[in-house]
Amino acid sequence: MLSLMPFPRKIKTRLRFHIQCVFILISIPVFFTLFSSNIQVEAKEDVESTSEDKSNYENLKTFSEVLSLIESTYVEKVSSEKLIEEAIHGLVKSLDPHTSYMPPEVFEEMKVQTSGKFGGLGIEVSMRDAVLTVISPIEGTPAFQAGVQAKDKIIKIEDDSTLDMTLQDAVSRLRGEIGSPVTITILREGLKVPLVVKIVRDTIKVQSVKKKVYNNDIGYIKIRSFAKTTSSDLDKALAYLRNKNITKLVLDVRNNPGGLLNQAVEVSDRFLGNENLIVYTKGRTEDQNMRFTTHDKVEHVDYPMIILVNGGSASASEIVAGALQDLGRAVILGTPTFGKGSVQTIIPLSDGSALRLTTARYYTPSGQVIQENGIIPDIKIENQIRPAISEKNDEEVTKPTEKEKIRRFLRERDLKKHLKGKTSIEGSEHDKQKNSTSDEEEKILSELEEDLARDAQLRHAVSLLASWDVMVGTLKQDKQMDKPTHLSFDNFNR
């Protein structure tokens, strides 16, 4: 039953006190902002400013009235501190999914996360359309090993629905004591029923950069995240590959949720010439409008490059891919990226808490907006999705016979009584080298072949780079012979 009653004198006194405090709190920063900015206020602006201040005052007065009524009249006693903190959470929640208020303990966790070592599941999450969504699992972590994928929607953590959770609350629930399990329920496109996944929490040690060599001369670098040490780790990887005499490079930023802006700029700088624009930002205030360019403090590499991206490539990953694509430095291969192109500024507050506030948008060198749009690959290739729930019975799947399996790997020289070729009769230097290959080298080659067999995007990238020299040589020969060609290498070598 509802009832209407006048304010008691005690509540009115408390109201006046709250209103006065709130007015003082808002007046002081406004005064100093105007004073420090040396703003020349015209008569018309004076009227508008006064009107706006009056409107703010009226709204704060209403807020103060509600706060006092809850404190004095709500059926149960509620802490003023808790009410104000929840009000702040509600305030920032009304903005965008990446703006958030971080209480002191959450702020400390965030500092640990960007240092490259933290506890949890190993996934980067965000709010998309008010739903907790996986940006990407970090390779080698418990979530990745459990089969969690980019764009999975987490609808429950244990038995609690995530629909009314804030992003920070969800992150806190996903983290916990190392070795303890947590059960999440996810919705995945293509599955008819939700998928329940049990994951054991662990210390997440992110090795941000790893390296390999394919086909003897194609370097491969995987950047898993943009942490404090990423650029220095990249320098070490490039030095290693240089000693291996590579001539082309695959840069893999798939399932890389991003990280530190300065590291994205430093990574891009390694692959671009001097005085190139890498990325710029635009916000409401002048200090948020920034431009980041290359410099000559580091050694630049000029290998022909392919960058691998997918829906789990976000933020800093998109800055790198967008810059190298715009400047014609690399071919982008894979699927469209996540589309997280906004700048968050961490503003520490007086009580040890912090405000993570969206203050600007990222733009690629050509002016392309990353936010929501993402980076569109030059070559679109889907990787086969790892099946989590089989929707067909084993009987329905036609399996190849043993003979068919074996035939896939047979060649002429493997057939009984096959006719010998000239090199087989006389022997060749290649055969001698092959026989001298160590077991360790054979194991490494086998692992590299397995990588290519299970990863369609990587396989296409290596195949394209392997044929690079052939196409360059062919096109140059055709040009020298004045033959018409159907492919301009200038366009191909973007």
Side-chain angles (χ1 to χ4, degrees):
M1 184 176 72
L2 297 176
S3 62
L4 297 175
M5 62 179 184
F7 287 143
R9 180 175 298 175
K10 184 179 179 181
I11 296 177
K12 286 183 178 179
T13 305
R14 187 178 297 166
L15 275 173
R16 281 195 295 270
F17 174 74
H18 277 299
I19 292 169
Q20 288 169 357
C21 289
V22 171
F23 180 74
I24 291 169
L25 286 172
I26 193 171
S27 298
I28 292 172
V30 168
F31 171 76
F32 280 109
T33 301
L34 292 173
F35 181 76
S36 61
S37 301
N38 292 319
I39 298 174
Q40 299 296 321
V41 183
E42 301 292 341
K44 185 178 178 181
E45 291 174 340
D46 251 340
V47 175
E48 290 176 353
S49 178
T50 304
S51 176
E52 186 176 345
D53 287 345
K54 185 177 179 181
S55 175
N56 286 337
Y57 176 80
E58 291 297 328
N59 290 333
L60 287 169
K61 180 181 176 183
T62 304
F63 173 82
S64 189
E65 288 175 358
V66 172
L67 180 61
S68 291
L69 284 169
I70 292 173
E71 285 179 331
S72 62
T73 315
Y74 184 64
V75 65
E76 294 177 356
K77 187 172 181 178
V78 186
S79 163
S80 297
E81 184 180 349
K82 182 182 177 183
L83 285 173
I84 293 171
E85 184 173 309
E86 290 299 322
I88 295 172
H89 280 300
L91 180 68
V92 297
K93 190 177 178 181
S94 67
L95 302 175
D96 71 277
H98 305 292
T99 292
S100 60
Y101 169 71
M102 294 182 284
E105 63 276 8
V106 176
F107 185 31
E108 287 301 317
E109 282 183 14
M110 188 276 298
K111 292 178 186 175
V112 173
Q113 183 173 345
T114 55
S115 69
K117 181 178 178 180
F118 55 96
L121 306 182
I123 52 175
E124 180 83 5
V125 292
S126 177
M127 287 290 182
R128 279 215 155 178
D129 299 324
V131 179
L132 187 64
T133 305
V134 176
I135 296 178
S136 89
I138 301 171
E139 190 174 332
T141 61
F144 184 87
Q145 292 164 356
V148 176
Q149 298 176 12
K151 298 185 180 179
D152 280 347
K153 301 183 190 307
I154 302 176
I155 58 173
K156 289 175 73 176
I157 300 174
E158 297 295 355
D159 294 324
D160 297 326
S161 169
T162 61
L163 292 180
D164 295 322
M165 283 186 194
T166 64
L167 181 60
Q168 294 300 334
D169 186 22
V171 170
S172 297
R173 289 170 184 254
L174 290 172
R175 290 178 181 167
E177 188 177 345
I178 294 171
S180 63
V182 61
T183 301
I184 60 174
T185 305
I186 62 177
L187 286 178
R188 179 176 298 166
E189 189 176 350
L191 297 184
K192 296 179 180 178
V193 295
L195 178 62
V196 179
V197 183
K198 185 176 182 180
I199 308 174
V200 177
R201 298 180 178 98
D202 198 0
T203 299
I204 308 302
K205 296 178 182 178
V206 181
Q207 182 187 358
S208 64
V209 176
K210 72 174 186 177
K211 60 198 180 294
K212 293 181 182 180
V213 178
Y214 292 98
N215 293 9
N216 296 321
D217 67 341
I218 300 175
Y220 169 87
I221 292 179
K222 168 76 174 176
I223 300 181
R224 294 172 171 172
S225 66
F226 289 85
K228 289 180 180 178
T229 61
T230 298
S231 58
S232 59
D233 291 343
L234 176 62
D235 289 337
K236 293 172 187 174
L238 287 171
Y240 169 85
L241 295 175
R242 194 179 298 113
N243 290 333
K244 293 291 183 180
N245 299 316
I246 67 161
T247 58
K248 301 114 184 171
L249 183 66
V250 176
L251 182 64
D252 190 350
V253 292
R254 292 174 298 176
N255 296 321
N256 182 328
L260 302 174
L261 170 60
N262 71 314
Q263 290 299 302
V265 171
E266 289 291 329
V267 167
S268 302
D269 194 13
R270 269 60 177 174
F271 306 108
L272 296 169
N274 292 333
E275 299 181 1
N276 272 307
L277 177 64
I278 295 173
V279 65
Y280 66 95
T281 64
K282 281 186 180 180
R284 285 178 61 197
T285 60
E286 193 62 35
D287 61 334
Q288 295 299 334
N289 298 334
M290 297 179 286
R291 294 170 64 85
F292 299 88
T293 58
T294 57
H295 52 72
D296 57 0
K297 295 178 183 177
V298 296
E299 185 176 353
H300 303 284
V301 298
D302 57 0
Y303 306 119
M305 280 182 67
I306 290 179
I307 300 179
L308 299 180
V309 298
N310 66 2
S313 305
S315 192
S317 301
E318 294 173 295
I319 289 173
V320 174
L324 271 63
Q325 183 185 52
D326 270 10
L327 298 172
R329 181 61 187 85
V331 173
I332 312 299
L333 186 150
T335 55
T337 60
F338 189 79
K340 196 268 182 184
S342 56
V343 183
Q344 279 70 50
T345 303
I346 308 297
I347 306 170
L349 303 176
S350 58
D351 64 345
S353 63
L355 181 62
R356 188 173 189 254
L357 186 66
T358 299
T359 52
R361 289 184 177 87
Y362 291 123
Y363 295 81
T364 68
S366 67
Q368 178 185 346
V369 181
I370 295 174
Q371 180 63 25
E372 191 176 17
N373 301 319
I375 302 298
I376 307 302
D378 302 300
I379 303 173
K380 291 185 182 180
I381 294 177
E382 293 274 358
N383 251 359
Q384 287 186 343
I385 297 174
R386 291 171 292 174
I389 297 178
S390 178
E391 299 194 17
K392 292 185 177 181
N393 296 325
D394 292 339
E395 294 78 9
E396 295 177 15
V397 181
T398 305
K399 294 182 178 179
T401 64
E402 288 301 316
K403 188 175 285 187
E404 288 173 334
K405 287 180 183 177
I406 295 170
R407 192 169 288 155
R408 292 176 185 172
F409 301 98
L410 287 178
R411 298 177 65 186
E412 172 70 19
R413 67 186 177 197
D414 300 314
L415 299 178
K416 191 176 180 181
K417 295 183 180 181
H418 69 275
L419 185 65
K420 299 291 183 182
K422 187 175 180 181
T423 56
S424 298
I425 298 169
E426 298 175 358
S428 67
E429 188 65 29
H430 175 72
D431 291 333
K432 292 176 185 176
Q433 291 175 359
K434 186 175 178 182
N435 292 334
S436 66
T437 303
S438 67
D439 291 341
E440 184 63 28
E441 289 173 334
E442 286 286 355
K443 183 180 178 183
I444 293 172
L445 288 172
S446 177
E447 289 175 354
L448 294 174
E449 288 175 3
E450 286 177 13
D451 288 348
L452 298 176
R454 64 172 176 258
D455 190 335
Q457 292 168 338
L458 176 59
R459 187 167 63 250
H460 277 80
V462 170
S463 178
L464 284 169
L465 288 174
S467 60
W468 197 281
D469 292 336
V470 176
M471 286 188 285
V472 173
T474 302
L475 291 167
K476 282 183 178 178
Q477 287 176 14
D478 287 341
K479 193 171 184 180
Q480 289 170 359
M481 298 172 66
D482 293 327
K483 288 185 178 180
T485 60
H486 295 286
L487 175 67
S488 167
F489 188 68
D490 290 336
N491 291 334
F492 182 76
N493 189 17
R494 293 190 47 181

